[in-house]
């Protein structure tokens, strides 16, 4: 019997309309367009505005659009996984809320927290449910309202992040396409460099934690940068080597969009040219779990069946990973 693989059968994304550009940031903190562009490659990012709107609202927009464009009925979905570090609330899972808002009634759903690698961790998890035959239609949604955990008085982090959601539909196939191979890794000792200090069980929320601004992203930029550059590049190269793929075999590298310099280092290590790399960090910033579907969505019309694509990410945890995908439509 032929092997069942999980193929990507649809992709959609949603970004909130409000654009926060570098000029506006210059009026908020001591920074400059020149610094931001030269150190990160970011020109602008989208921010979700509006009372009572959260990660699930962006996720539901992306999922509704995905179902509509793929002609899928919400009741056909067996499983929905949401990758996020900015859940609507501590519990229940944002995946459950997205399912409810998108009319998905016959599925089970849960969240995956792997920071900027969340989309890859979720995609691999979802693919196993397809490969074993337990599920036929699975939605993976990466959604993050990073503006809800960003301190807009801290110039070291507020220039980096944006809000967005992207959704991917996975279905079974016996053709030689889909998720072909993956490598995921974690090093929990990296948590000291990138985390949120309060609001969890070690340090529940209090007046003191709010006053000390401990509900925002804490990031030591340089150590994170060093790890990200090496780990993301190494893992992307490793998946190519173990599958005998050369740079000529690769149609696109789809890197997590945290910093243009990290993306360029990964491309160099893989030996792929600029035209083979999906880059949109300039317009969206780092949208954490949404960066990879946001790229695939923007490049969807250029992709052809059989294209070899390498997804690669690095994020808080530390977490990192790469996936080899053969495009299926
Ligand atoms: N505007 C102007 N100056 C700034 C700004 C700013 N927005 N931010 C920092 N600076 C200053 C610093 O204060 C410092 O000044 P000093 O030399 O007087 O002390 C100087 O610029 C250099 O700061 P660095 O931190 O060394 O700058 P660096 O080149 O490392 O860039 C950055 C910082 C962009 C954060 C980079 O380190 C980076 O991209 N790190 C990795 C981010 C990442 O990949 N995160 C993982 C994913 S996120 C997640 O999982 C949620």
């Amino acid at each position: 019997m032929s092997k069942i693989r999980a193929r990507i059968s649809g992709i959609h994304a949603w970004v909130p309309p409000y654009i926060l550009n570098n000029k506006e940031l210059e009026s908020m903190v001591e920074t400059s367009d020149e610094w931001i562009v030269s150190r990160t490659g970011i020109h602008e990012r989208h921010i979700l505005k509006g009372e009572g709107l959260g990660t699930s609202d962006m996720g539901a927009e992306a999922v509704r659009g995905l179902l509509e464009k793929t002609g899928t009925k919400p009741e056909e979905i067996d499983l929905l996984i949401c990758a996020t570090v900015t859940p609507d609330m501590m519990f229940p899972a944002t995946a459950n809320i997205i399912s409810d808002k998108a009319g998905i009634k016959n599925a089970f759903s849960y969240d995956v927290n792997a920071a900027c690698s969340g989309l890859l961790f979720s995609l691999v998890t979802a693919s196993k449910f397809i490969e074993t035959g337990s599920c036929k239609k699975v939605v993976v949604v990466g959604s993050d309202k990073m503006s809800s955990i960003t301190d807009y008085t801290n110039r070291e982090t507020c220039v980096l992040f944006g809000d967005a959601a992207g959704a991917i539909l996975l279905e079974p196939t016996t053709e030689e396409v889909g998720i072909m191979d993956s490598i995921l890794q974690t090093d929990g000792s990296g948590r000291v460099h990138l985390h949120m200090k309060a609001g969890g069980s070690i340090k529940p929320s209090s007046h003191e934690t709010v006053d000390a601004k401990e509900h925002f992203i804490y990031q030591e930029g340089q150590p994170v940068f060093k790890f990200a550059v090496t780990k993301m590049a190494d893992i992307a190269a490793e998946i190519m080597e173990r599958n005998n793929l050369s740079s000529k075999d690769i149609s696109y590298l789809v890197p997590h969009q945290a910093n243009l310099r990290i993306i360029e280092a990964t491309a160099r290590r893989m030996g792929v040219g600029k035209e083979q790399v999906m880059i949109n960090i300039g317009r969206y910033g780092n949208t954490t779990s949404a960066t990879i579907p946001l790229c695939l969505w923007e490049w969807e019309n250029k992709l052809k069946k059989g294209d070899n694509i390498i997804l690669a990410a690095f994020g808080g945890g530390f977490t990192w990973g790469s996936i080899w995908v053969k495009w299926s439509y």
Side-chain angles (χ1 to χ4, degrees):
M1 220 175 78
S2 351
K3 183 178 163 49
I4 299 173
R5 292 186 195 280
R7 75 176 187 99
I8 293 179
S9 55
I11 177 99
H12 196 63
W14 190 83
V15 288
Y18 187 83
I19 295 175
L20 172 60
N21 61 25
N22 291 351
K23 192 105 209 107
E24 188 176 349
L25 279 167
E26 282 177 1
S27 69
M28 295 158 67
V29 289
E30 202 183 322
T31 190
S32 65
D33 176 58
E34 195 278 328
W35 191 96
I36 303 170
V37 174
S38 63
R39 298 293 180 113
T40 70
I42 302 168
H43 295 268
E44 58 190 35
R45 61 296 283 142
H46 290 245
I47 303 294
L48 181 65
K49 300 257 186 185
E51 193 72 24
L53 294 178
T55 293
S56 69
D57 296 288
M58 296 191 296
E61 289 279 2
V63 172
R64 276 193 291 263
L66 174 73
L67 298 182
E68 200 182 308
K69 86 189 252 196
T70 55
T72 310
K73 296 191 189 78
E75 55 271 26
E76 290 179 82
I77 302 301
D78 303 310
L79 164 64
L80 182 142
I81 300 177
C82 177
T84 190
V85 288
T86 52
D88 279 11
M89 43 188 85
M90 285 285 273
F91 73 92
T94 301
N96 304 356
I97 306 171
I98 294 174
S99 293
D100 182 47
K101 289 181 176 172
I104 293 172
K105 301 282 183 212
N106 297 327
F108 66 108
S109 52
Y110 56 89
D111 289 356
V112 165
N113 178 341
C116 296
S117 311
L119 198 280
L120 298 196
F121 280 50
S122 303
L123 214 47
V124 172
T125 309
S127 72
K128 303 302 172 196
F129 283 95
I130 300 266
E131 287 166 11
T132 56
S134 339
C135 294
K136 295 271 180 274
K137 287 183 195 283
V138 180
V139 171
V140 170
V141 48
S143 185
D144 269 303
K145 184 183 170 185
M146 294 308 288
S147 60
S148 67
I149 56 167
T150 298
D151 176 3
Y152 286 97
T153 64
N154 178 352
R155 69 178 183 173
E156 286 172 24
T157 50
C158 76
V159 302
L160 303 174
F161 296 98
D163 302 336
I168 293 174
L169 182 63
L170 287 179
E171 294 183 72
T173 181
T174 49
E175 288 186 67
E176 273 291 291
V177 292
I179 297 186
M180 309 299 286
D181 193 16
S182 62
I183 312 173
L184 302 178
Q185 296 206 314
T186 298
D187 178 358
S189 67
R191 68 189 181 280
V192 295
H193 304 297
L194 182 51
H195 58 260
M196 186 191 287
K197 295 198 177 294
S201 59
I202 288 181
K203 211 181 212 193
S205 314
S206 65
H207 282 296
E208 288 73 26
T209 61
V210 172
D211 290 345
K213 299 187 170 185
E214 289 180 340
H215 296 272
F216 294 124
I217 302 155
Y218 171 83
Q219 175 169 268
E220 294 161 10
Q222 278 190 9
V224 177
F225 184 86
K226 272 187 206 143
F227 261 93
V229 162
T230 351
K231 297 296 185 188
M232 200 163 108
D234 283 354
I235 208 157
E238 186 184 344
I239 205 158
M240 284 171 67
E241 276 152 28
R242 83 175 190 190
N243 290 289
N244 295 318
L245 293 166
S246 79
S247 56
K248 286 199 279 309
D249 301 316
I250 304 298
S251 300
Y252 286 103
L253 161 66
V254 191
H256 168 56
Q257 315 275 311
N259 188 312
L260 187 58
R261 291 181 289 150
I262 300 174
I263 295 172
E264 286 169 351
T266 306
R268 269 197 304 278
R269 176 86 160 78
M270 292 170 64
V272 298
K274 256 195 168 153
E275 65 295 344
Q276 288 165 280
V277 190
M278 295 189 191
I279 303 175
N280 60 15
I281 186 171
R283 285 179 291 119
Y284 302 114
N286 181 351
T287 57
T288 302
S289 56
T291 60
I292 287 175
L294 211 47
C295 282
L296 289 172
W297 173 61
E298 290 204 325
W299 267 261
E300 186 184 20
N301 290 339
K302 294 198 174 82
L303 297 172
K304 298 184 300 298
K305 188 170 178 176
D307 277 353
N308 289 311
I309 296 171
I310 303 290
L311 316 180
F314 179 89
F318 292 141
T319 53
W320 64 103
S322 62
I323 303 181
W324 168 30
V325 175
K326 247 187 200 300
W327 201 249
S328 77
Y329 59 94

